[in-house]
Amino acid sequence: MIPLVDVLLVIVIFLVVNTTFVQKSQLNVELPGTNSAQASTEKTPSLTIRVSQDGNFDFEGQLILGETALKQALSQAIQRLNTDKNQLRAIIEADASSTHQSVVSVMDVLADLGVAKVSIATSNP
């Protein structure tokens, strides 16, 4: 007969191994609102970059300071994805109070890396 403790231990190990941990962003971003937003149905790989109101960047749950560090992080992610850059898309989640320059900086970095499909995330009011 198998002791109950052994069975429970196996169940706990199974749950720990099969649990997916979500990386929560370090930036709190309030997206701008729009009435004409359409949800994307594309299934292509995407890069999500968040821009805070003070111009800081967040990518893959990591706070990134400066355009050079952002470019390096995005470049590494593109290499990891190992996909055609023409199929790759980027989503910019910029705070409604962030500067236009911060968003343009992200778009410039993406253009330098060859990512042509760029979307700006919004929320429905």
Side-chain angles (χ1 to χ4, degrees), residues 19-37:
T19 302
T20 304
F21 298 100
V22 179
Q23 289 183 355
K24 186 166 173 125
S25 174
Q26 294 184 6
L27 295 180
N28 186 14
V29 174
E30 184 176 326
L31 297 176
T34 180
N35 292 327
S36 61

Side-chain angles (χ1 to χ4, degrees), residues 39-111:
S40 174
T41 58
E42 289 189 45
K43 300 296 182 203
T44 58
S46 64
L47 306 168
T48 302
I49 304 101
R50 300 186 82 167
V51 182
S52 68
Q53 66 183 13
D54 55 356
N56 291 326
F57 307 112
D58 178 281
F59 179 65
E60 295 182 338
Q62 300 293 329
L63 182 64
I64 298 175
L65 303 174
E67 293 176 41
T68 306
L70 178 64
K71 187 172 187 176
Q72 183 179 15
L74 289 171
S75 178
Q76 291 171 354
I78 290 170
Q79 289 175 354
R80 261 194 330 268
L81 287 173
N82 196 22
T83 185
D84 182 23
K85 288 183 184 178
N86 294 329
Q87 297 300 320
L88 190 62
R89 65 188 189 109
I91 302 169
I92 301 174
E93 295 180 353
D95 191 276
S97 303
S98 65
T99 64
H100 187 68
Q101 181 61 51
S102 299
V103 176
V104 170
S105 296
V106 173
M107 294 174 75
D108 190 39
V109 167
L110 291 166

